[in-house]
Amino acid sequence: MARFHGAAPAAGGRKKDLFGYDVDTNVAPWIEKIKACKYYDDAGEVLVEMNVNNCPPDITTYNATLQKIFESPSKASTPVDNESKFCAMMDLLEEMEHRNRIKPNDVSWSWVMKELIKSKNFRIGYVIQAMWSCPKDLIDANEANAQQAKAEGKEHPGHLSKQVGLFDVKIQ
């Protein structure tokens, strides 16, 4: 049985949704609205507003939102404890793929990688590099973060560096 995955083209080239309503495909004004947001929660609300107005977000809209997450000072005017832009980005990528069946592209992953570099999260950067053909400049920037952490004795998370190995224990 075929499964419906979004707007279907109708006569005259216009798209119709599952219920026969016209689908608006002009995302340009919405992208401008996302770019005008100061905080990335506001950009997320624009995506909700798009859906309410029967204008489903496309890859360019999602990439503009990823860029807003990267560039925003915070989630909202009052920062949240342990706020993670990386987690917000991964949540958005999950929405793209599983809700709207849009695969992240190189632009999408570059915003994620830029955030990992900015936040000096080189370990997850290695994971992204392993699953995506990452540009050399981003690989080099991530490796520079790793080397800096190593030079500062922060190559491994603090809680792991305090553990005593089985072979390091002196039995008397």
Side-chain angles (χ1 to χ4, degrees), residues 57-88:
D58 66 357
I59 188 71
T60 58
T61 314
Y62 281 116
N63 286 340
T65 307
L66 287 166
Q67 181 178 357
K68 182 51 63 178
I69 294 169
F70 175 76
E71 294 173 347
S72 294
S74 185
K75 177 179 181 155
S77 59
T78 305
V80 178
D81 288 341
N82 297 316
E83 178 179 318
S84 171
K85 289 184 179 185
F86 169 72
C87 288

mmCIF file of all heavy atoms in Angstrom, residues 57-88:
data_model
loop_
_atom_site.group_PDB
_atom_site.id
_atom_site.type_symbol
_atom_site.label_atom_id
_atom_site.label_comp_id
_atom_site.label_asym_id
_atom_site.label_seq_id
_atom_site.Cartn_x
_atom_site.Cartn_y
_atom_site.Cartn_z
ATOM 1 N N PRO A 57 7.909 23.613 5.849
ATOM 2 C CA PRO A 57 9.313 24.000 5.724
ATOM 3 C C PRO A 57 10.035 23.075 4.744
ATOM 4 O O PRO A 57 9.734 21.886 4.664
ATOM 5 C CB PRO A 57 9.872 23.807 7.139
ATOM 6 C CG PRO A 57 8.686 23.761 8.033
ATOM 7 C CD PRO A 57 7.559 23.234 7.216
ATOM 8 N N ASP A 58 10.963 23.652 3.993
ATOM 9 C CA ASP A 58 11.792 22.852 3.097
ATOM 10 C C ASP A 58 13.228 22.867 3.623
ATOM 11 O O ASP A 58 13.492 23.397 4.702
ATOM 12 C CB ASP A 58 11.702 23.381 1.659
ATOM 13 C CG ASP A 58 12.299 24.771 1.489
ATOM 14 O OD1 ASP A 58 12.742 25.389 2.494
ATOM 15 O OD2 ASP A 58 12.340 25.250 0.341
ATOM 16 N N ILE A 59 14.158 22.290 2.868
ATOM 17 C CA ILE A 59 15.539 22.194 3.326
ATOM 18 C C ILE A 59 16.154 23.577 3.567
ATOM 19 O O ILE A 59 16.895 23.762 4.532
ATOM 20 C CB ILE A 59 16.401 21.349 2.345
ATOM 21 C CG1 ILE A 59 17.799 21.085 2.916
ATOM 22 C CG2 ILE A 59 16.510 22.000 0.983
ATOM 23 C CD1 ILE A 59 17.841 20.124 4.051
ATOM 24 N N THR A 60 15.824 24.569 2.731
ATOM 25 C CA THR A 60 16.399 25.904 2.931
ATOM 26 C C THR A 60 15.875 26.553 4.216
ATOM 27 O O THR A 60 16.606 27.261 4.891
ATOM 28 C CB THR A 60 16.127 26.830 1.722
ATOM 29 O OG1 THR A 60 14.716 26.940 1.510
ATOM 30 C CG2 THR A 60 16.806 26.307 0.468
ATOM 31 N N THR A 61 14.628 26.284 4.529
ATOM 32 C CA THR A 61 14.045 26.814 5.764
ATOM 33 C C THR A 61 14.706 26.177 6.984
ATOM 34 O O THR A 61 15.054 26.865 7.944
ATOM 35 C CB THR A 61 12.527 26.549 5.806
ATOM 36 O OG1 THR A 61 11.953 26.896 4.555
ATOM 37 C CG2 THR A 61 11.865 27.337 6.909
ATOM 38 N N TYR A 62 14.880 24.863 6.935
ATOM 39 C CA TYR A 62 15.539 24.175 8.047
ATOM 40 C C TYR A 62 16.993 24.633 8.189
ATOM 41 O O TYR A 62 17.469 24.833 9.302
ATOM 42 C CB TYR A 62 15.467 22.660 7.870
ATOM 43 C CG TYR A 62 14.129 22.090 8.263
ATOM 44 C CD1 TYR A 62 13.305 21.479 7.330
ATOM 45 C CD2 TYR A 62 13.679 22.161 9.578
ATOM 46 C CE1 TYR A 62 12.082 20.947 7.696
ATOM 47 C CE2 TYR A 62 12.461 21.633 9.956
ATOM 48 C CZ TYR A 62 11.662 21.031 9.004
ATOM 49 O OH TYR A 62 10.446 20.517 9.380
ATOM 50 N N ASN A 63 17.678 24.812 7.073
ATOM 51 C CA ASN A 63 19.063 25.268 7.160
ATOM 52 C C ASN A 63 19.161 26.688 7.715
ATOM 53 O O ASN A 63 20.075 26.999 8.470
ATOM 54 C CB ASN A 63 19.757 25.152 5.801
ATOM 55 C CG ASN A 63 20.090 23.723 5.455
ATOM 56 O OD1 ASN A 63 20.162 22.857 6.319
ATOM 57 N ND2 ASN A 63 20.279 23.453 4.177
ATOM 58 N N ALA A 64 18.201 27.540 7.378
ATOM 59 C CA ALA A 64 18.167 28.890 7.952
ATOM 60 C C ALA A 64 17.933 28.817 9.460
ATOM 61 O O ALA A 64 18.503 29.605 10.229
ATOM 62 C CB ALA A 64 17.072 29.727 7.289
ATOM 63 N N THR A 65 17.139 27.861 9.896
ATOM 64 C CA THR A 65 16.882 27.684 11.329
ATOM 65 C C THR A 65 18.130 27.154 12.033
ATOM 66 O O THR A 65 18.468 27.607 13.136
ATOM 67 C CB THR A 65 15.676 26.754 11.552
ATOM 68 O OG1 THR A 65 14.562 27.244 10.794
ATOM 69 C CG2 THR A 65 15.296 26.685 13.019
ATOM 70 N N LEU A 66 18.839 26.222 11.401
ATOM 71 C CA LEU A 66 20.106 25.740 11.976
ATOM 72 C C LEU A 66 21.107 26.889 12.096
ATOM 73 O O LEU A 66 21.809 27.011 13.103
ATOM 74 C CB LEU A 66 20.692 24.623 11.108
ATOM 75 C CG LEU A 66 19.968 23.281 11.181
ATOM 76 C CD1 LEU A 66 20.406 22.373 10.043
ATOM 77 C CD2 LEU A 66 20.185 22.617 12.529
ATOM 78 N N GLN A 67 21.149 27.736 11.091
ATOM 79 C CA GLN A 67 22.035 28.901 11.145
ATOM 80 C C GLN A 67 21.635 29.827 12.292
ATOM 81 O O GLN A 67 22.495 30.346 13.016
ATOM 82 C CB GLN A 67 21.987 29.662 9.816
ATOM 83 C CG GLN A 67 22.890 30.877 9.786
ATOM 84 C CD GLN A 67 22.871 31.595 8.442
ATOM 85 O OE1 GLN A 67 22.225 31.159 7.482
ATOM 86 N NE2 GLN A 67 23.579 32.693 8.367
ATOM 87 N N LYS A 68 20.351 30.014 12.490
ATOM 88 C CA LYS A 68 19.866 30.868 13.583
ATOM 89 C C LYS A 68 20.244 30.277 14.934
ATOM 90 O O LYS A 68 20.643 30.998 15.845
ATOM 91 C CB LYS A 68 18.346 31.065 13.475
ATOM 92 C CG LYS A 68 17.750 31.972 14.526
ATOM 93 C CD LYS A 68 18.437 33.320 14.675
ATOM 94 C CE LYS A 68 18.373 34.174 13.452
ATOM 95 N NZ LYS A 68 19.011 35.503 13.653
ATOM 96 N N ILE A 69 20.139 28.960 15.071
ATOM 97 C CA ILE A 69 20.555 28.324 16.322
ATOM 98 C C ILE A 69 22.026 28.607 16.566
ATOM 99 O O ILE A 69 22.430 28.978 17.671
ATOM 100 C CB ILE A 69 20.275 26.802 16.295
ATOM 101 C CG1 ILE A 69 18.771 26.521 16.252
ATOM 102 C CG2 ILE A 69 20.913 26.116 17.508
ATOM 103 C CD1 ILE A 69 18.409 25.071 15.962
ATOM 104 N N PHE A 70 22.846 28.463 15.534
ATOM 105 C CA PHE A 70 24.283 28.700 15.656
ATOM 106 C C PHE A 70 24.579 30.150 16.041
ATOM 107 O O PHE A 70 25.397 30.423 16.909
ATOM 108 C CB PHE A 70 24.984 28.354 14.331
ATOM 109 C CG PHE A 70 26.447 28.671 14.324
ATOM 110 C CD1 PHE A 70 27.346 27.850 14.983
ATOM 111 C CD2 PHE A 70 26.930 29.790 13.667
ATOM 112 C CE1 PHE A 70 28.705 28.140 14.990
ATOM 113 C CE2 PHE A 70 28.278 30.093 13.659
ATOM 114 C CZ PHE A 70 29.177 29.264 14.327
ATOM 115 N N GLU A 71 23.905 31.096 15.403
ATOM 116 C CA GLU A 71 24.214 32.516 15.588
ATOM 117 C C GLU A 71 23.558 33.146 16.807
ATOM 118 O O GLU A 71 24.018 34.177 17.282
ATOM 119 C CB GLU A 71 23.801 33.298 14.335
ATOM 120 C CG GLU A 71 24.626 32.931 13.113
ATOM 121 C CD GLU A 71 24.122 33.578 11.840
ATOM 122 O OE1 GLU A 71 22.985 34.129 11.827
ATOM 123 O OE2 GLU A 71 24.862 33.536 10.838
ATOM 124 N N SER A 72 22.486 32.568 17.306
ATOM 125 C CA SER A 72 21.762 33.160 18.434
ATOM 126 C C SER A 72 22.597 33.131 19.706
ATOM 127 O O SER A 72 23.352 32.189 19.934
ATOM 128 C CB SER A 72 20.471 32.391 18.707
ATOM 129 O OG SER A 72 19.587 32.519 17.642
ATOM 130 N N PRO A 73 22.409 34.150 20.544
ATOM 131 C CA PRO A 73 23.134 34.130 21.814
ATOM 132 C C PRO A 73 22.618 33.040 22.751
ATOM 133 O O PRO A 73 23.359 32.540 23.598
ATOM 134 C CB PRO A 73 22.880 35.520 22.395
ATOM 135 C CG PRO A 73 21.619 35.983 21.749
ATOM 136 C CD PRO A 73 21.585 35.347 20.395
ATOM 137 N N SER A 74 21.347 32.677 22.577
ATOM 138 C CA SER A 74 20.745 31.707 23.486
ATOM 139 C C SER A 74 19.403 31.241 22.926
ATOM 140 O O SER A 74 18.928 31.745 21.910
ATOM 141 C CB SER A 74 20.537 32.359 24.857
ATOM 142 O OG SER A 74 20.059 31.425 25.780
ATOM 143 N N LYS A 75 18.810 30.334 23.643
ATOM 144 C CA LYS A 75 17.489 29.806 23.306
ATOM 145 C C LYS A 75 16.412 30.876 23.473
ATOM 146 O O LYS A 75 15.498 30.974 22.677
ATOM 147 C CB LYS A 75 17.219 28.613 24.229
ATOM 148 C CG LYS A 75 15.897 27.971 24.099
ATOM 149 C CD LYS A 75 15.787 26.801 25.059
ATOM 150 C CE LYS A 75 14.458 26.127 24.902
ATOM 151 N NZ LYS A 75 14.475 24.744 25.315
ATOM 152 N N ALA A 76 16.525 31.644 24.529
ATOM 153 C CA ALA A 76 15.546 32.680 24.852
ATOM 154 C C ALA A 76 16.270 33.818 25.570
ATOM 155 O O ALA A 76 17.466 33.734 25.834
ATOM 156 C CB ALA A 76 14.446 32.095 25.731
ATOM 157 N N SER A 77 15.540 34.859 25.885
ATOM 158 C CA SER A 77 16.173 36.017 26.533
ATOM 159 C C SER A 77 16.797 35.664 27.877
ATOM 160 O O SER A 77 17.784 36.248 28.288
ATOM 161 C CB SER A 77 15.164 37.158 26.689
ATOM 162 O OG SER A 77 14.064 36.728 27.457
ATOM 163 N N THR A 78 16.223 34.679 28.549
ATOM 164 C CA THR A 78 16.805 34.181 29.797
ATOM 165 C C THR A 78 17.383 32.803 29.503
ATOM 166 O O THR A 78 16.636 31.845 29.297
ATOM 167 C CB THR A 78 15.735 34.068 30.897
ATOM 168 O OG1 THR A 78 15.090 35.323 31.053
ATOM 169 C CG2 THR A 78 16.355 33.622 32.211
ATOM 170 N N PRO A 79 18.720 32.697 29.450
ATOM 171 C CA PRO A 79 19.321 31.395 29.126
ATOM 172 C C PRO A 79 18.912 30.308 30.114
ATOM 173 O O PRO A 79 18.692 30.558 31.293
ATOM 174 C CB PRO A 79 20.824 31.663 29.226
ATOM 175 C CG PRO A 79 20.964 33.139 29.062
ATOM 176 C CD PRO A 79 19.713 33.731 29.645
ATOM 177 N N VAL A 80 18.801 29.107 29.585
ATOM 178 C CA VAL A 80 18.419 27.940 30.369
ATOM 179 C C VAL A 80 19.690 27.239 30.833
ATOM 180 O O VAL A 80 20.666 27.148 30.087
ATOM 181 C CB VAL A 80 17.570 26.986 29.504
ATOM 182 C CG1 VAL A 80 17.182 25.740 30.254
ATOM 183 C CG2 VAL A 80 16.342 27.702 28.975
ATOM 184 N N ASP A 81 19.700 26.734 32.077
ATOM 185 C CA ASP A 81 20.857 25.983 32.563
ATOM 186 C C ASP A 81 21.128 24.794 31.648
ATOM 187 O O ASP A 81 20.203 24.124 31.206
ATOM 188 C CB ASP A 81 20.610 25.473 33.990
ATOM 189 C CG ASP A 81 20.648 26.585 35.025
ATOM 190 O OD1 ASP A 81 21.202 27.661 34.721
ATOM 191 O OD2 ASP A 81 20.113 26.384 36.133
ATOM 192 N N ASN A 82 22.392 24.554 31.391
ATOM 193 C CA ASN A 82 22.841 23.430 30.561
ATOM 194 C C ASN A 82 22.243 23.437 29.157
ATOM 195 O O ASN A 82 22.043 22.390 28.555
ATOM 196 C CB ASN A 82 22.559 22.087 31.254
ATOM 197 C CG ASN A 82 23.308 21.947 32.534
ATOM 198 O OD1 ASN A 82 24.496 22.276 32.600
ATOM 199 N ND2 ASN A 82 22.647 21.481 33.582
ATOM 200 N N GLU A 83 21.963 24.615 28.653
ATOM 201 C CA GLU A 83 21.431 24.747 27.306
ATOM 202 C C GLU A 83 22.436 24.186 26.302
ATOM 203 O O GLU A 83 23.633 24.402 26.430
ATOM 204 C CB GLU A 83 21.191 26.234 27.038
ATOM 205 C CG GLU A 83 20.677 26.560 25.679
ATOM 206 C CD GLU A 83 20.448 28.054 25.517
ATOM 207 O OE1 GLU A 83 19.923 28.699 26.444
ATOM 208 O OE2 GLU A 83 20.805 28.562 24.457
ATOM 209 N N SER A 84 21.963 23.463 25.311
ATOM 210 C CA SER A 84 22.843 22.863 24.313
ATOM 211 C C SER A 84 22.327 23.172 22.912
ATOM 212 O O SER A 84 21.291 22.656 22.493
ATOM 213 C CB SER A 84 22.930 21.349 24.496
ATOM 214 O OG SER A 84 23.611 20.754 23.416
ATOM 215 N N LYS A 85 23.058 24.015 22.209
ATOM 216 C CA LYS A 85 22.686 24.303 20.829
ATOM 217 C C LYS A 85 22.816 23.048 19.973
ATOM 218 O O LYS A 85 22.034 22.836 19.051
ATOM 219 C CB LYS A 85 23.558 25.423 20.269
ATOM 220 C CG LYS A 85 23.249 26.784 20.861
ATOM 221 C CD LYS A 85 24.099 27.841 20.185
ATOM 222 C CE LYS A 85 23.803 29.216 20.727
ATOM 223 N NZ LYS A 85 24.548 30.249 19.982
ATOM 224 N N PHE A 86 23.801 22.222 20.283
ATOM 225 C CA PHE A 86 23.970 20.973 19.544
ATOM 226 C C PHE A 86 22.705 20.119 19.670
ATOM 227 O O PHE A 86 22.207 19.579 18.674
ATOM 228 C CB PHE A 86 25.196 20.201 20.042
ATOM 229 C CG PHE A 86 25.280 18.803 19.512
ATOM 230 C CD1 PHE A 86 25.595 18.568 18.177
ATOM 231 C CD2 PHE A 86 25.022 17.716 20.328
ATOM 232 C CE1 PHE A 86 25.656 17.277 17.671
ATOM 233 C CE2 PHE A 86 25.081 16.427 19.838
ATOM 234 C CZ PHE A 86 25.398 16.199 18.505
ATOM 235 N N CYS A 87 22.180 19.987 20.873
ATOM 236 C CA CYS A 87 20.958 19.192 21.075
ATOM 237 C C CYS A 87 19.778 19.806 20.326
ATOM 238 O O CYS A 87 18.966 19.084 19.736
ATOM 239 C CB CYS A 87 20.641 19.055 22.558
ATOM 240 S SG CYS A 87 21.782 17.966 23.421
ATOM 241 N N ALA A 88 19.685 21.134 20.324
ATOM 242 C CA ALA A 88 18.614 21.805 19.583
ATOM 243 C C ALA A 88 18.740 21.512 18.090
ATOM 244 O O ALA A 88 17.738 21.265 17.405
ATOM 245 C CB ALA A 88 18.659 23.308 19.849
#
